[in-house]
């Protein structure tokens, strides 16, 4: 069966520190992969989208970057976190018949 | 191009009364449509999905949705609201090809009054 793993579940980081959130998918190959952010009380904002290894589309200019070093691995990074980077981050993958989500990471930048 | 519109940002109903969350879509191809629920500080959970089989789709927790091509709608309903239904609900269109992205609606916050 297809599963998606996202970690960590919660994270508290100081301003200016680096960030690395990882997402891995099992049970499928060549999925489309996504990183979303949800600020408090807001909807889901698409940050990055990938259709294959090394292929990343950035939807909004920001302090974050994404990489896809392997087919089923998607990493969200930042060199220096800002207070405005706080939020709930969701990894997702999709095929024609569905979209599947990780459990999310609650990031608090202090 | 595909798009999805959730017509209400917030819906409030009394416990035991019906729930209607509205979703309209736009797609040049036969879409796959989904409803997800997000409880506070939680991830997204799939409620139900339509993938070109039966137009009336039944999901978990008593929810169901009807795909109406003529109205380009996929509204979510439940006959009787429960306090535990209070959450954020997202309507989603799934890509018709590997080059397309999943499209989220902006979400509807459902509140339940005692």
């Amino acid at each position: 069966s297809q599963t998606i793993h996202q970690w960590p579940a919660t994270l508290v980081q100081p301003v200016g520190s680096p960030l690395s959130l990882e997402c891995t998918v099992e049970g499928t190959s060549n999925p489309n992969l996504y990183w979303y952010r949800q600020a408090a009380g807001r909807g889901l904002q698409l940050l990055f989208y990938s259709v294959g290894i090394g292929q990343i589309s950035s939807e909004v200019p920001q302090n974050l970057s994404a990489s896809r070093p392997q087919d089923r691995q998607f990493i969200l990074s930042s060199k220096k976190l800002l207070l405005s980077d706080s939020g709930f981050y969701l990894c997702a993958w999709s095929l024609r018949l569905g979209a599947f989500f990780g459990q999310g990471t609650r990031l608090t930048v202090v | 191009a595909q798009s999805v519109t959730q017509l209400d940002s917030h819906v409030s109903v009394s416990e035991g009364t019906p729930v209607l969350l509205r979703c309209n879509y736009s797609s040049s191809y036969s879409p796959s449509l989904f409803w997800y629920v997000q409880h506070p500080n939680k991830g997204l959970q799939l409620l139900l999905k339509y993938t070109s089989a039966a137009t009336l789709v039944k999901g978990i927790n008593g929810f169901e949705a009807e795909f109406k091509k003529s109205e380009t709608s996929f509204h979510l309903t439940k006959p009787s609201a429960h306090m535990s239904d209070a959450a954020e609900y997202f309507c989603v269109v799934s890509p018709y090809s590997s080059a397309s992205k999943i499209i989220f609606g902006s979400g509807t916050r459902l509140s339940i009054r005692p």
Side-chain angles (χ1 to χ4, degrees), chain A residues 26-74:
Chain A
E26 295 178 1
T28 186
S29 60
N30 197 31
N32 291 347
L33 295 171
Y34 310 79
W35 277 110
Y36 290 88
R37 177 170 59 199
Q38 186 178 37
R42 307 284 291 277
L44 286 160
Q45 179 187 36
L46 179 62
L47 300 176
F48 298 99
Y49 163 61
S50 171
V51 298
I53 295 174
Q55 301 178 63
I56 311 293
S57 297
S58 175
E59 295 294 305
V60 293
Q62 58 203 307
N63 184 42
L64 302 167
S65 63
S67 61
R68 186 170 179 175
Q70 301 179 46
D71 181 45
R72 289 172 284 181
Q73 183 184 28
F74 205 26

Side-chain angles (χ1 to χ4, degrees), chain B residues 37 39 45-47 58-64 77-82 84-85 89:
Chain B
V37 60
H39 288 94
Q45 180 184 21
L46 178 65
L47 277 178
K58 294 187 183 298
I60 62 172
N61 301 334
F63 284 95
E64 61 182 39
T77 60
K78 183 173 180 177
S80 177
H82 191 273
S84 62
D85 294 327
Y89 292 79

Side-chain angles (χ1 to χ4, degrees), chain A residues 32 34 36 38 42-44 46 49 51 59 88 90 92 94-104 106, chain B residues 30-32 34 36 38 41-44 49 51 88 90 92 94-102 104 106:
Chain A
N32 291 347
Y34 310 79
Y36 290 88
Q38 186 178 37
R42 307 284 291 277
L44 286 160
L46 179 62
Y49 163 61
V51 298
E59 295 294 305
F88 187 67
L90 266 176
S94 71
L95 291 174
R96 172 69 176 89
L97 296 183
F100 302 88
F101 299 90
Q103 286 304 298
R106 174 74 55 193
Chain B
S30 296
S32 292
F34 308 81
Y36 289 87
Q38 184 182 32
N41 298 313
K42 300 286 187 180
L44 270 68
K49 62 181 178 181
T51 55
E88 188 87 15
F90 293 96
V92 177
S94 186
Y96 55 82
S97 74
S98 61
S100 302
K101 295 177 285 191
I102 49 177
F104 271 89
S106 55

